[in-house]
């Protein structure tokens, strides 16, 4: 069985955030409303290093790592988070009680709460289960910096 993953070549990434917008559109995540925090299934971690005039901006997109032993899944009291045979960690929104323990348990702080918990699932229901070859963020990447595939095949060479 495949073990899916996304590799992001930060040397090709142009920091345009098209992947974040594509994800938001594909997964119908609402735009920021007054008094609410903006939510994305993918979020950038950014910082600057160096001293003027030699300053550079670091940008690292963070998304669900689909961990071997997901802490979010183990912490969920409603058993709403499961790991598929292909390695994808998904949330069943019908079972989710929106308690937030998944976010607290995740070492990457990935799951977030709207009405229910949500996180990156590589567009499993919206695309992969319907025969599409890649998540929408990968398909939309302007810099062709994102590669999606089976991590067990060792075909990913950057």
């Amino acid at each position: 069985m495949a073990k899916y993953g996304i590799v992001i070549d930060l040397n090709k990434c142009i920091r345009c955030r098209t992947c974040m917008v594509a994800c938001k559109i594909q997964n119908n995540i609402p735009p920021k409303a007054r008094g609410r925090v903006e939510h994305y299934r993918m979020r950038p971690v950014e910082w600057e290093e160096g001293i003027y005039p030699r300053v550079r901006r670091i940008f690292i997109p963070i998304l669900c790592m689909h961990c071997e032993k997901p802490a979010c899944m183990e912490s969920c009291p409603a058993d709403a988070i499961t790991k598929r045979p292909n390695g994808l960690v998904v949330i069943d929104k019908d079972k989710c009680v929106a308690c937030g323990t998944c976010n607290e348990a995740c070492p990457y702080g990935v799951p977030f709460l709207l009405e229910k918990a949500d996180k990156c699932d590589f567009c499993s229901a919206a695309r992969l289960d319907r025969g599409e070859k890649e998540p929408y963020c990968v398909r939309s990447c302007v810099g062709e910096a994102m590669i999606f595939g089976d991590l067990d095949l060792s075909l990913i060479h950057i």
Side-chain angles (χ1 to χ4, degrees):
M1 179 58 71
K3 168 76 170 101
Y4 291 121
I6 291 178
V7 175
I8 302 171
D9 183 345
L10 296 177
N11 292 316
K12 287 184 175 182
C13 176
I14 61 171
R15 285 91 174 136
C16 65
R17 299 175 193 240
T18 300
C19 55
M20 294 171 64
V21 173
C23 175
K24 204 167 183 71
I25 292 167
Q26 174 69 60
N27 296 291
N28 201 25
I29 299 169
K32 183 177 181 179
R34 183 178 295 173
R36 288 185 69 175
V37 174
E38 187 76 19
H39 291 286
Y40 294 91
R41 286 182 162 191
M42 175 187 304
R43 66 180 165 77
V45 174
E46 300 178 84
W47 70 92
E48 293 177 0
E49 64 181 31
I51 298 172
Y52 179 81
R54 290 188 172 90
V55 179
R56 68 182 204 145
R57 186 128 183 103
I58 310 298
F59 177 92
I60 302 174
I62 303 291
L63 55 150
C64 181
M65 302 297 173
H66 298 275
C67 301
E68 193 66 36
K69 295 181 181 176
C72 61
M73 183 176 80
E74 293 173 10
S75 72
C76 180
D79 294 325
I81 303 174
T82 56
K83 186 174 178 89
R84 292 179 168 188
N86 62 7
L88 298 185
V89 179
V90 297
I91 298 173
D92 182 340
K93 292 195 182 6
D94 292 332
K95 291 183 179 179
C96 178
V97 295
C99 64
T101 58
C102 54
N103 177 269
E104 293 171 13
C106 176
Y108 305 102
V110 169
F112 61 89
L113 291 176
L114 285 170
E115 287 75 33
K116 303 283 186 163
D118 198 9
K119 66 169 205 59
C120 173
D121 61 5
F122 293 157
C123 297
S124 57
R127 294 181 62 80
L128 299 181
D129 293 350
R130 296 178 183 183
E132 296 288 333
K133 295 183 193 259
E134 58 195 7
Y136 200 49
C137 61
V138 174
R139 178 162 169 63
S140 303
C141 181
V142 176
E144 297 180 353
M146 301 177 81
I147 301 168
F148 174 78
D150 184 351
L151 298 175
D152 291 334
L153 292 179
S154 301
L155 294 176
I156 299 173
H157 300 287
I158 294 179

